[in-house]
Amino acid sequence: MTASIVHNAARQRFETTVEGQLCVADYQLRGNVLRMTHTGVPAAVGGRGIAAELVRAALAWAQAQGHVVEPSCSYVEAYMRRHPQTLPLLAR
């Protein structure tokens, strides 16, 4: 993926636009818990790893900020299982 990912803190999401399509990874921050609520990539630009890049950026930010992650989005949960190095970020 070549588009840059932006952290839109005001809207509580990580986002990028690919071929005019907005792609997002939404979250809610409560204290030090980053609750990942939704990952959305339009079908027109799907299958390119965009969702993975959005989640990777969100988890990297969470780690840098000292947050823990609660994956209420099934995609984020699956991503974390596929990338065991992210599991220490899980909220216990």
Side-chain angles (χ1 to χ4, degrees), residues 3-4 9-10 16 18 25 33-35 37 53 55 61 66 70 80-81 86:
S4 64
T16 189
V18 178
V33 177
L34 185 77
R35 183 171 184 242
T37 59
E53 288 300 311
V55 172
W61 178 80
E70 180 184 308
M80 293 182 80
R81 278 196 313 269
T86 67

Side-chain angles (χ1 to χ4, degrees), residues 5-92:
I5 294 173
V6 175
H7 180 199
N8 185 336
R11 299 193 89 170
Q12 293 194 349
R13 68 186 184 196
F14 287 80
E15 59 188 34
T16 189
T17 301
V18 178
E19 297 176 10
Q21 302 289 313
L22 180 64
C23 307
V24 299
D26 296 318
Y27 68 85
Q28 296 171 347
L29 185 60
R30 301 288 185 263
N32 78 324
V33 177
L34 185 77
R35 183 171 184 242
M36 298 294 300
T37 59
H38 173 74
T39 304
V41 175
V45 294
R48 301 181 192 183
I50 299 166
E53 288 300 311
L54 288 164
V55 172
R56 182 202 56 73
L59 296 180
W61 178 80
Q63 183 175 29
Q65 298 299 310
H67 298 315
V68 293
V69 176
E70 180 184 308
S72 65
C73 167
S74 60
Y75 181 85
V76 176
E77 186 177 346
Y79 178 95
M80 293 182 80
R81 278 196 313 269
R82 286 192 313 268
H83 298 90
Q85 70 275 17
T86 67
L87 294 178
L89 291 172
L90 279 175
R92 306 267 179 230

